[in-house]
Amino acid sequence: MQLFKTILLFELKLLARQKFLLVLIGFFFAAGLYSIYEGYRFTQKQLLAIDSLRHGYQKKYQEAVASFSADTTTTAGKTLFNQAGIPAVIEYKNPLYAIYQPHPISILSIGQRDLVPYYDLITRKRNFIQGTDAEISNPEVLASGNFDLAYVIIYLLPLLAIALTYNTLSKEKEQQTDKLLSLQGLYFGRIISYKLVFRFMLIGVMAWLLSITGFISSAFLISFDPAAAILWLLSISAYHFFWFAIIFFIIRWSQSSVHNALYLLGLWSFFLMLLPALCNALVRLYHPIPLKTDAAVALRENSEAVWALPRKLLIDTFYLNNPKYSHLRTSSDTSENSNKRFAAYYDLLGHRMTQVIENYNQYPEKQNAAAISLSWINPATKTQYMLNGIAESGWKDYLSYQDQVNAFQKTWVDFMNDYIISDKNLILNDLKNLPEFKLKEKANKNQHILFGILYLFGIGFCIILLAIKLRIKI
């Protein structure tokens, strides 16, 4: 323990004298703080938009409630009173929104979910192709990427680790201080190990400090999630450990400082540039996503084809698909402006387009599944998926949200059709009990992340054991 304290004090004094390393550390910390600010500003903008949507909805909702007691002595009041509770009017004036609320630590990891719309308009005639076609709706962000803390951890942390440790052993050998220490009976291998441990702890503490700063900043916007914070800290620690295992493996080969730096920078380029590019190319080659113009064409063609159907055939199809309304069938259903005709139109169009969209959605789902499977061969990519998973900002999270939105839209259609088909208006109590969209958390999310953390630690330990086995002791 005394030796470790001595090494610790020595390393602190040595670090204080190396201005270049202090600049690198300062740059890393400043980049981390700026990334937190960028994430904070990005999430704040989303929350302001969501708050505006909710405020607008509540304002319209109060107006709809007030219409039930409108002053019928005026023309405007009489119109409002007569329209109170009409399903089509309620849906037109104040449609529901399905909102994808940012996660408590989403400011630390802005993912693919943030490239696409984070809210959906829910009506009986919802745009069936508004979902995953929005990948190009944010071209500037898509082109430049997001500078968040996850980016700093995954890309810049390994570079800082390499800069601080690449010559830990080789410098001693080049200056021949290793022989001097050996002659004095000191354990040279232990000294080098303590040096590495100090630098590992230094970078780890900085990463934790930045993360905790991010947690505190996020708490000003969204309620704190301690479980997500713990998983985040464990994830970045596992990734940090993996890179120090790589560094330990390289420096044990007793190459020169220049060779160590070149090898480590080459591995950084391989794990963070070459391998992700190859995996992405493979995924897109074997699981391409077709253009969604086919779905848009199908929507237009089906809209025209369904509306052109003979009214009786359209109504017959509706009651065949919805037998619970059969007892409400009347001869007036086939009239040109019948509510049941419009309900039948949207119902049949929904059935046809659901199949089209389900057929299209299988492509991004397969691509996402393939990308997640390939991420296991690259710890850097795996860490990115883990951090996005903790912040619920990944593509898998967005696909889950879209599935829930589509399911809720069917719930809304069934709710409104009960009134439209029965030629009933909503009463005030019905208006207070409208269906609400509530996003459900993915099952076993934390278990998958914990398994990924164990995977990273396991890879790191295997690399260390391999380095010890293949090379004589330092």
Side-chain angles (χ1 to χ4, degrees):
M1 183 58 70
Q2 185 60 38
L3 179 60
F4 180 72
K5 290 181 180 178
T6 302
I7 295 298
L8 178 63
L9 292 173
F10 174 78
E11 286 293 311
L12 285 172
K13 292 179 180 179
L14 183 63
L15 182 62
R17 295 172 185 171
Q18 295 178 301
K19 294 183 179 180
F20 177 70
L21 291 181
L22 289 177
V23 170
L24 285 180
I25 291 173
F27 173 78
F28 175 79
F29 206 79
L33 291 176
Y34 179 73
S35 70
I36 293 171
Y37 167 74
E38 280 291 295
Y40 182 92
R41 190 177 64 172
F42 188 92
T43 305
Q44 185 182 45
K45 190 183 296 183
Q46 285 191 352
L47 290 173
L48 287 173
I50 290 171
D51 185 66
S52 176
L53 287 174
R54 287 175 172 164
H55 179 75
Y57 176 81
Q58 285 299 322
K59 181 181 178 181
K60 292 292 185 180
Y61 176 80
Q62 293 302 327
E63 291 176 359
V65 171
S67 65
F68 283 90
S69 55
D71 183 7
T72 56
T73 60
T74 64
T75 303
K78 187 178 295 184
T79 300
L80 289 174
F81 183 80
N82 291 333
Q83 292 179 346
I86 298 177
V89 173
I90 290 174
E91 187 179 63
Y92 173 75
K93 286 188 174 182
N94 194 25
L96 285 177
Y97 286 96
I99 296 174
Y100 195 168
Q101 183 78 15
H103 187 269
I105 61 171
S106 61
I107 74 168
L108 305 183
S109 184
I110 302 171
Q112 289 174 292
R113 157 221 182 271
D114 300 293
L115 297 175
V116 290
Y118 45 88
Y119 59 88
D120 283 272
L121 188 66
I122 304 297
T123 67
R124 288 177 298 126
K125 48 186 177 181
R126 176 172 176 260
N127 181 358
F128 293 95
I129 61 169
Q130 67 184 7
T132 52
D133 65 326
E135 187 174 359
I136 60 170
S137 66
N138 225 334
E140 290 185 8
V141 175
L142 188 62
S144 60
N146 296 289
F147 191 75
D148 52 18
L149 188 58
Y151 178 90
V152 172
I153 296 296
I154 291 172
Y155 284 86
L156 301 187
L157 183 144
L159 289 176
L160 180 61
I162 291 170
L164 287 177
T165 58
Y166 76 97
N167 62 350
T168 305
L169 173 60
S170 57
K171 183 179 179 181
E172 303 291 344
K173 290 184 176 295
E174 290 164 359
Q175 296 178 347
Q176 297 187 347
T177 52
D178 59 327
K179 295 179 181 179
L180 179 62
L181 291 171
S182 298
L183 288 174
Q184 293 179 353
L186 296 176
Y187 296 99
F188 181 63
R190 187 179 299 175
I191 292 173
I192 296 300
S193 298
Y194 286 161
K195 284 175 172 283
L196 285 173
V197 169
F198 165 76
R199 298 172 195 201
F200 174 83
M201 291 173 57
L202 175 64
I203 299 175
V205 167
M206 285 195 296
W208 274 48
L209 283 175
L210 287 172
S211 298
I212 292 171
T213 303
F215 300 154
I216 295 172
S217 302
S218 180
F220 287 103
L221 296 176
I222 314 171
S223 58
F224 180 63
D225 185 348
I230 292 171
L231 288 174
W232 177 277
L233 294 175
L234 289 174
S235 297
I236 64 174
S237 298
Y239 182 67
H240 180 37
F241 179 74
F242 161 75
W243 271 104
F244 262 83
I246 291 287
I247 293 168
F248 179 74
F249 183 89
I250 294 299
I251 68 174
R252 276 187 66 88
W253 288 92
S254 300
Q255 299 291 320
S256 67
S257 299
V258 174
H259 283 92
N260 288 344
L262 290 175
Y263 293 153
L264 289 170
L265 289 175
L267 286 171
W268 181 87
S269 300
F270 174 75
F271 283 115
L272 291 167
M273 294 184 180
L274 180 60
L275 191 55
L278 290 174
C279 291
N280 185 57
L282 283 174
V283 168
R284 292 182 180 274
L285 177 63
Y286 289 99
H287 299 282
I289 297 180
L291 294 175
K292 210 163 187 180
T293 51
D294 292 341
V297 171
L299 175 61
R300 184 180 69 250
E301 292 178 348
N302 278 297
S303 298
E304 296 172 353
V306 172
W307 187 253
L309 285 174
R311 296 173 195 169
K312 185 176 183 307
L313 178 59
L314 181 62
I315 294 297
D316 289 342
T317 304
F318 174 75
Y319 285 119
L320 182 64
N321 292 332
N322 301 273
K324 63 180 179 179
Y325 299 126
S326 297
H327 66 284
L328 299 174
R329 184 166 189 165
T330 63
S331 58
S332 62
D333 292 348
T334 55
S335 63
E336 184 174 358
N337 296 315
S338 166
N339 284 335
K340 293 180 183 178
R341 182 195 176 196
F342 287 105
Y345 165 76
Y346 290 124
D347 180 75
L348 183 55
L349 179 61
H351 277 83
R352 292 189 178 184
M353 287 307 301
T354 295
Q355 185 60 43
V356 173
I357 297 305
E358 285 179 355
N359 181 63
Y360 174 84
N361 284 344
Q362 66 175 320
Y363 294 102
E365 288 172 0
K366 287 180 179 179
Q367 189 179 90
N368 184 66
I372 291 175
S373 298
L374 283 176
S375 70
W376 290 98
I377 68 175
N378 185 359
T381 305
K382 185 61 183 175
T383 304
Q384 181 69 73
Y385 275 103
M386 288 163 55
L387 297 182
N388 282 348
I390 296 169
E392 296 183 2
S393 59
W395 193 241
K396 186 176 181 180
D397 300 281
Y398 185 75
L399 290 176
S400 174
Y401 160 74
Q402 277 295 306
D403 288 341
Q404 293 184 49
V405 169
N406 291 332
F408 178 74
Q409 200 260 344
K410 294 177 182 177
T411 301
W412 175 256
V413 169
D414 289 340
F415 176 83
M416 296 301 286
N417 277 348
D418 282 339
Y419 293 92
I420 292 172
I421 302 304
S422 303
D423 290 322
K424 294 191 305 183
N425 289 346
L426 283 75
I427 60 175
L428 186 58
N429 190 54
D430 296 329
L431 195 63
K432 294 179 180 179
N433 293 282
L434 293 175
E436 294 182 8
F437 176 78
K438 294 181 179 180
L439 186 66
K440 299 176 182 177
E441 188 175 297
K442 299 197 309 295
N444 302 320
K445 184 192 77 170
N446 290 347
Q447 289 88 330
H448 291 309
I449 294 169
L450 285 171
F451 189 73
I453 293 170
L454 292 175
Y455 159 77
L456 290 177
F457 275 120
I459 290 290
F461 278 117
C462 288
I463 293 172
I464 290 174
L465 292 175
L466 184 63
I468 294 173
K469 184 176 180 180
L470 295 181
R471 189 67 181 168
I472 61 173
K473 292 184 178 180
I474 297 172

